[in-house]
Amino acid sequence: MTLMPDTRSTVRVCSIHDLEVERGRAALLGTEQVALFLLRDGTVHAVSNLDPYSGANVISRGIVGTRGDAPTIASPMHKQVFDLRTGECVETQGKPALALTVWAVRTEGDDVYLPSDAARSSDDALQEVLR
């Protein structure tokens, strides 16, 4: 697991209204694809959209579920299952354990924010929700 730090430097990624419950959305944060998930309890999770097993940017198209009390996402490619809170792969389908990068999400009103990359200026960190 790689947890991106929750710093004061954040960027608005989208409105909460751009997200559907238990459906992923991909957002472009600079050059990084991030998969966003709005859960039934109102929490928003952000993980890398890059499936570490297939190398394809498809995690946002995965199936949301749970393992115990852990919210999960199953890759649509080879069905590995990842904990949305930690990025840890909880079902490797017999492969070596790999993980997704996780971003700390902050919501303020209807806006969803992620930590910005310190190497980019806020003008260069243009993001858009990909549909």
Side-chain angles (χ1 to χ4, degrees), residues 25-90:
R25 287 283 191 256
L28 188 59
L29 183 62
T31 60
E32 186 88 26
Q33 287 193 30
V34 178
L36 298 163
F37 298 93
L38 172 62
L39 302 184
R40 290 198 185 279
D41 65 4
T43 60
V44 179
H45 293 272
V47 297
S48 174
N49 197 35
L50 182 66
D51 179 342
Y53 291 95
S54 70
N57 285 299
V58 295
I59 295 297
S60 64
R61 300 294 178 215
I63 299 170
V64 174
T66 57
R67 288 284 199 279
D69 64 344
T72 60
I73 185 69
S75 170
M77 297 297 288
H78 302 296
K79 308 306 182 230
Q80 282 83 9
V81 178
F82 301 90
D83 185 324
L84 284 171
R85 302 169 304 178
T86 66
E88 174 187 356
C89 188
V90 296

Side-chain angles (χ1 to χ4, degrees), residues 11 116-126:
V11 292
S116 65
D117 183 344
R120 292 189 304 256
S121 72
S122 59
D123 292 336
D124 294 335
L126 179 62

Side-chain angles (χ1 to χ4, degrees), residues 1-7 32 46 101-105 114-117:
M1 168 188 69
T2 305
L3 182 63
M4 301 307 287
D6 185 12
T7 65
E32 186 88 26
T101 300
V102 175
W103 281 266
V105 177
L114 295 177
S116 65
D117 183 344

Side-chain angles (χ1 to χ4, degrees), residues 99-110:
L100 299 173
T101 300
V102 175
W103 281 266
V105 177
R106 179 174 62 89
T107 56
E108 188 174 304
D110 290 340

